[in-house]
Amino acid sequence: MAIRNIRKDGDEVLRKISKEVDVINDKVVSLLEDMADTMYKAEGVGLAAPQIGILKRLIVIDVGEGLIELINPKIVSESGEQIEVEGCLSIPGVLGEVKRPAKVTVEALNSKGEKIVVEGEELLARALCHEIDHLNGILFKDKVIRFIDQDELEES
Ligand code: ZN
């Protein structure tokens, strides 16, 4: 268990494509634990491995319904759309509206190497899309329709 340093926008690691995980060993399992610890400490709802400088296809998410750890996650279907405000632990202080599918289905492996299917709507759908984007070197700010300033958020 350890808190890792979260890489910030401008770090080139955030723009690289992460590699598939071939072997799920103790190292991968402890990496997922560190990612969860780091996410909870930073009070985020999701974290992808490149955000701690590791180019592996690993994400962790907790939208308040328990921890989800995904290895090699892949969106297999999506439907509808939603536009909501997002932020990112790697881009502190920046918020913006992003269009995402309303619902996504993701296939992945869990930390035991079992194939799992996660269906997400609303915040979970957004978090899945946002974190999987990180694995492809994409940041939410690339997709922002409208940036939101802090004052505006406090008023609403
Ligand atoms: Zn992010």
Side-chain angles (χ1 to χ4, degrees):
M1 250 178 64
I3 307 292
R4 305 284 189 112
N5 185 33
I6 298 177
R7 304 298 183 93
K8 298 298 187 309
D9 189 21
D11 189 322
E12 64 179 25
V13 77
L14 293 173
R15 292 305 191 175
K16 299 208 164 132
I17 310 280
S18 293
K19 292 199 175 71
E20 295 255 328
V21 176
D22 298 324
V23 183
I24 299 167
N25 53 21
D26 290 352
K27 208 177 146 188
V28 170
V29 172
S30 81
L31 193 53
L32 283 165
E33 287 172 5
D34 285 359
M35 286 169 60
D37 292 342
T38 305
M39 172 183 74
Y40 288 125
K41 178 86 195 309
E43 298 181 346
V45 298
L47 191 78
Q51 291 182 276
I52 56 164
I54 311 272
L55 290 169
K56 290 186 193 299
R57 301 188 84 81
L58 300 171
I59 64 175
V60 293
I61 289 173
D62 189 340
V63 295
E65 298 165 358
L67 178 63
I68 301 172
E69 299 171 309
L70 300 176
I71 299 169
N72 301 335
K74 202 179 280 180
I75 295 171
V76 292
S77 78
E78 53 180 71
S79 61
E81 63 177 55
Q82 56 172 322
I83 296 173
E84 292 293 340
V85 177
E86 286 183 27
C88 178
L89 294 176
S90 292
I91 317 174
V94 175
L95 295 169
E97 291 177 337
V98 182
K99 185 157 87 175
R100 302 284 190 187
K103 188 177 176 184
V104 294
T105 304
V106 171
E107 285 182 3
L109 299 175
N110 65 16
S111 60
K112 294 178 191 133
E114 299 158 343
K115 192 175 164 184
I116 54 167
V117 177
V118 178
E119 289 194 347
E121 292 180 60
E122 297 178 3
L123 178 56
L124 181 55
R126 293 205 297 282
L128 287 162
C129 293
H130 179 120
E131 301 312 329
I132 291 170
D133 273 354
H134 272 300
L135 304 180
N136 296 318
I138 298 165
L139 298 176
F140 91 98
K141 67 172 194 176
D142 305 343
K143 296 186 166 177
V144 164
I145 298 167
R146 192 171 71 93
F147 286 96
I148 309 284
D149 61 42
Q150 216 71 41
D151 299 343
E152 191 178 342
L153 207 70
E154 278 158 20
E155 282 163 18
S156 64

